[in-house]
Amino acid sequence: METPMPRKVSVEREQCWRRHLDQQRASGLSVREYCHLHGLSEHSFYAWRRTIAERDRRGKPTSDQPIAAPAFLPVAVVDGPPRPHDSPIEIRLVDGRRVRVRTGCDRTLLADVLAILHEAPKPEARPC
C-alpha cells in the first residue's frame, strides 16, 4: 500500500484560520457559537487552533517577547521615472486582497480606495 503524500497547506488557508481564531477571541462568543455563526466546523476550528499554536511555538524566538502581528502601514505615493510600458502595480494587502494600479491613476482616488479597504470588514467568501 502506498503512503499518501502530506497535503501542503496553503498560506491563504492558514491566514484565513488565523483571522477566525483572532476574531473568535475578540468576539466574546464561545467556539461553538462562533463556528455556527460563520458556518465553520467546530472540529476544524479546534484542529487549526492546535496546528497554528504548534507552528507558532516552533517558530517562536527563545525570548518571551511577543511577536508583533502584521499591521497596515501608511504608504506615500510619489512620482517615479517614466515607465516604458503601462504595466500595473499590484498592491497585496495583508489579508490577501489585491489592488492593481495603472500608470496615471488619480492619487486621491487611490488613497480613498485604500482607506476604504482598510476600514471595510474582510470578505469571507467561503469558510476555510
Side-chain angles (χ1 to χ4, degrees):
M1 183 170 154
E2 187 174 314
T3 317
M5 304 245 340
R7 289 191 322 176
K8 184 176 181 182
V9 178
S10 72
V11 172
E12 291 85 12
R13 189 174 181 127
E14 182 175 331
Q15 287 175 344
C16 180
W17 277 105
R18 283 182 183 276
R19 276 194 311 276
H20 278 299
L21 293 171
D22 291 341
Q23 289 171 357
Q24 184 275 327
R25 269 187 235 107
S27 73
L29 298 172
S30 70
V31 170
R32 175 166 284 159
E33 292 168 327
Y34 183 86
C35 289
H36 179 73
L37 183 66
H38 292 277
L40 301 171
S41 158
E42 199 174 329
H43 175 75
S44 294
F45 186 95
Y46 284 114
W48 272 101
R49 188 166 74 175
R50 231 179 1 262
T51 299
I52 288 172
E54 179 59 32
R55 287 180 185 171
D56 289 348
R57 272 193 299 277
R58 282 187 306 214
K60 188 174 181 179
T62 54
S63 74
D64 288 335
Q65 293 287 356
I67 298 173
F72 188 84
L73 301 174
V75 174
V77 179
V78 297
D79 286 330
R83 293 163 43 130
H85 298 71
D86 188 25
S87 57
I89 297 171
E90 184 173 277
I91 301 169
R92 187 172 293 175
L93 304 175
V94 173
D95 63 8
R97 292 183 290 174
R98 299 175 187 174
V99 177
R100 288 193 177 146
V101 182
R102 295 209 179 270
T103 303
C105 173
D106 180 79
R107 290 180 187 184
T108 304
L109 175 62
L110 176 59
D112 290 345
V113 167
L114 291 174
I116 289 168
L117 288 173
H118 175 63
E119 297 301 323
K122 309 310 180 252
E124 296 297 331
R126 60 183 172 83
C128 306

